[in-house]
Amino acid sequence: MLDGDALLDLYQRGRAGDALGRAALLGRAAAGAGAETLPLGELDRRIWALRTRLLADMARPAADEAVCTCPACGARLEFTLPADFVPPPAVAQTVAVEWRGKTHLLRLPCLADFGPQGLRLQALGTAPWHDPGFAALAAEALQAADPALGLTLAMDCPECGAALDEGFDPAAWLWAEIEDMARGLLDEVVRLARAFGWSEREILAMPPARRALYLAEVAP
């Protein structure tokens, strides 16, 4: 179970990090110590399952609405995540890419393959990564093996009619929800501590439904 104390601890450890660090943090919370070596698509699926548990444990509604910007006209677009959304499963753990008469066996990328300069392609297998043609073909084959590697949401801009695919990152989405939940929880702790003199530990030990009863009696 992910209680309020665990949520605030997660928020405290991740707030000063970058996107990759937060993905690793959420991955470890979702999949344990081996998170960095899981294929990225599988890690996304574990993180999304963590989100489901967290929302249930914290008795919070899902934040299924978000915004993006149309690259064609700059309009601000609002979109809703499908209620039944789940990152699709992988169909293979490795792929064979034929290039100029030679077969290159590649594995799916994981968090451990990322360094300061981004994805270390050589970690996926010995291959002519310097060749743009091969790199493009390999990227296409890897995404076909695990569609969750490049999740996008298709939409149309209501202002200019342009069709666009908005990239979707489950870890970034969950982190935004964790930030909202943590700030809301901190506000609840402050209000109840001021009203009743309870400690943070005492307040967080209450089930969310019980906390809500007391909060209803406290002026905002």
Side-chain angles (χ1 to χ4, degrees):
M1 179 175 178
L2 295 165
D3 58 16
D5 189 58
L7 173 73
L8 291 181
D9 181 64
L10 198 63
Y11 175 61
Q12 179 182 345
R13 286 185 288 142
R15 63 180 304 202
D18 57 14
L20 187 61
R22 287 192 289 269
L25 181 66
L26 293 177
R28 288 190 292 272
E36 283 86 348
T37 59
L38 283 175
L40 290 179
E42 178 58 26
L43 188 64
D44 280 343
R45 287 182 282 276
R46 302 281 186 96
I47 288 174
W48 206 246
L50 171 67
R51 174 186 185 259
T52 300
R53 298 196 304 273
L54 179 59
L55 292 173
D57 290 344
M58 297 299 298
R60 302 278 177 161
D64 293 331
E65 295 183 355
V67 296
C68 65
T69 301
C70 174
C73 69
R76 184 173 180 271
L77 310 181
E78 296 183 358
F79 65 92
T80 301
L81 194 66
D84 59 351
F85 172 80
V86 176
V91 297
Q93 296 299 306
T94 59
V95 297
V97 180
E98 299 287 342
W99 183 253
R100 296 182 177 175
K102 188 174 180 180
T103 300
H104 300 277
L105 188 64
L106 310 176
R107 65 168 176 79
L108 298 178
C110 63
L111 278 179
D113 297 327
F114 285 83
Q117 306 303 318
L119 180 61
R120 295 188 291 259
L121 294 171
Q122 289 292 344
L124 307 185
T126 303
W129 295 106
H130 61 278
D131 189 321
F134 173 82
L137 185 63
E140 184 178 325
L142 289 168
Q143 185 164 341
D146 192 346
L149 284 176
L151 291 173
T152 58
L153 301 175
M155 63 188 79
D156 295 322
C157 175
E159 298 296 326
C160 69
L164 62 142
D165 291 325
E166 177 67 14
F168 180 74
D169 181 350
W173 186 285
L174 175 56
W175 184 255
E177 291 182 310
I178 285 174
E179 286 188 322
D180 287 343
M181 284 189 281
R183 289 168 183 161
L185 190 55
L186 288 171
D187 179 67
E188 292 178 4
V189 169
V190 169
R191 289 171 59 193
L192 292 177
R194 285 175 176 169
F196 301 106
W198 296 328
S199 69
E200 179 188 74
R201 184 174 297 278
E202 290 172 320
I203 295 168
L204 293 179
M206 294 181 190
R210 176 67 63 83
R211 261 199 324 268
L213 291 176
Y214 284 107
L215 286 165
E217 301 300 320
V218 177

